[in-house]
Amino acid sequence: MNDSRLFALTPGEPAGIGPDLCLLLAREAQPHPLVAIASQALLAERAALLGLPIRLLAVGPGNWPQQPAPAGSLYVWDTPLAAPVECGKLNPTNAGYVLETLTRAGQGCLNGDFAGMITAPVHKGVINEGGITFSGHTEFLAELTSTPQVVMMLATRGLRVALVTTHLPLRQVADAITVERLQRVTRILHADLRDKFGIADPRILVCGLNPHAGEGGHLGHEEIDVIEPTLEGLRAEGMSLIGPLPADTLFTPKHLDHCDAVLAMYHDQGLPVLKFKGFGAAVNVTLGLPIVRTSVDHGTALDLAGTGRIDSGSLLVALETAYQMTGKR
């Protein structure tokens, strides 16, 4: 059944495939009203290039839709570009436009206009070249919502993987896994699995840092000194935490069939498995925010913009996940 929960969709880098994804999505009706926060002129140009007869329906504050757009239509909150866009050609002049779409979506979630936001990929480099310090969606939205700590989680059908550390050189990972960080990340993961995913008693599998989870201290002491005592303390708070387990055996059906999420110590410990299982059909979820935000799991694909040779599977999963999360809250 349709309902009137309203969602924001940001197309990200205008020269990439984000605008194309929005238009491809509009070919079919969505179960909820969905507003693209983007340049209406850009979407019209890209629709013409792709040969997609999509009707662009202007909306905005004071004129929000109450029903999903019909198939072949897309609600648009017009956000002007600073410069014309050519497919595949980055232009730092439009950096401010990209951040304005994110600001409108984030503020709309905070003030209750939107139930959640779904983001297409941005290009961090060109935003920084435009003179704006920007390290990513996650950090931008954390600052916008005054959130001191957020957690990156990727999910696909049948597997969720959250990260204790994210984009760090491997040489720095062990020092970054402190009692305080592990406590914060685990508490956020547990709380959002419960409050945003509706899992009453989440079961979380926790990876060790070292091969064989340290093998009793013979292959490293991080498990003994930091991870094991921290998990024991969190269990005393009522959390169901299994581990630390060796990552090479944790990612097997024996364990995964009986858990709600995996907590990996670093980026390339957990995400290769998830992307092997669900590449093109995975979603990036920012946990810890006071709003719901999901994103595609891929980049801007500049070389494919305007070609029509793209797969919208990840965007569909990001939408489904946002709908599910707001329905459970």
Side-chain angles (χ1 to χ4, degrees):
M1 178 181 293
N2 292 337
D3 67 35
S4 59
R5 276 181 292 149
L6 181 63
F7 292 83
L9 173 61
T10 59
E13 168 53 47
I17 63 170
D20 309 47
L21 288 169
C22 296
L23 293 162
L24 290 172
L25 180 75
R27 294 179 300 179
E28 306 290 337
Q30 287 295 308
H32 307 286
L34 183 67
V35 175
I37 302 177
S39 162
Q40 189 158 331
L42 167 66
L43 292 174
E45 291 171 7
R46 195 66 60 88
L49 181 63
L50 293 169
L52 293 173
I54 304 297
R55 294 175 58 229
L56 303 177
L57 309 174
V59 298
N63 181 35
W64 296 125
Q66 300 299 311
Q67 298 293 328
S73 303
L74 181 65
Y75 294 125
V76 182
W77 182 4
D78 187 31
T79 307
L81 288 159
V85 171
E86 182 180 350
C87 288
K89 303 292 184 181
L90 295 171
N91 186 344
T93 305
N94 282 321
Y97 157 81
V98 174
L99 297 191
E100 176 63 15
T101 66
L102 295 177
T103 300
R104 288 184 171 189
Q107 290 288 3
C109 289
L110 287 173
N111 66 28
D113 286 339
F114 304 125
M117 61 184 287
I118 300 94
T119 60
V122 297
H123 193 287
K124 299 174 189 176
V126 75
I127 294 174
N128 283 281
E129 288 171 18
I132 303 171
T133 301
F134 181 82
S135 55
H137 275 116
T138 301
E139 295 81 3
F140 181 84
L141 292 172
E143 183 176 352
L144 182 69
T145 60
S146 301
T147 304
Q149 177 76 39
V150 293
V151 173
M152 178 188 291
M153 184 177 79
L154 269 73
T156 190
R157 293 178 180 91
L159 180 62
R160 302 181 184 98
V161 177
L163 303 176
V164 177
T165 64
T166 53
H167 301 121
L168 284 180
L170 195 55
R171 187 180 295 275
Q172 298 176 18
V173 167
D175 289 340
I177 299 172
T178 62
V179 170
E180 294 75 20
R181 181 192 286 258
L182 186 54
Q183 286 176 336
R184 288 197 307 269
V185 169
T186 308
R187 286 173 177 147
I188 290 170
L189 173 60
H190 182 270
D192 274 12
L193 287 172
R194 186 187 59 210
D195 299 337
K196 293 180 179 174
F197 287 87
I199 302 168
D201 183 20
R203 289 175 52 84
I204 300 169
L205 297 182
V206 182
C207 295
L209 172 65
N210 296 295
H212 302 178
E215 202 164 281
H218 295 286
L219 296 176
H221 285 263
E222 287 80 7
E223 287 79 10
I224 294 171
D225 295 341
V226 177
I227 301 174
E228 291 175 1
T230 302
L231 297 185
E232 194 60 34
L234 292 169
R235 289 187 191 104
E237 298 178 12
M239 298 185 200
S240 180
L241 306 171
I242 300 92
L245 298 173
D248 63 344
T249 54
L250 180 153
F251 287 102
T252 57
K254 172 185 173 182
H255 295 293
L256 294 179
D257 287 350
H258 305 286
C259 84
D260 298 299
V262 172
L263 183 59
M265 292 295 130
Y266 58 96
H267 187 280
D268 282 15
Q269 182 183 57
L271 297 194
V273 180
L274 184 132
K275 292 194 174 186
F276 177 77
K277 178 177 174 62
F279 189 74
V283 56
N284 187 333
V285 183
T286 305
L287 304 178
L289 294 173
I291 64 176
V292 167
R293 178 258 171 166
T294 66
S295 183
V296 296
D297 72 339
H298 56 72
T300 54
L302 296 168
D303 57 322
L304 296 178
T307 67
R309 302 193 307 271
I310 60 173
D311 185 343
S312 58
S314 182
L315 179 60
L316 292 173
V317 177
L319 284 162
E320 291 171 6
T321 303
Y323 298 156
Q324 291 165 3
M325 290 172 68
T326 57
K328 299 291 187 183
R329 300 187 78 177

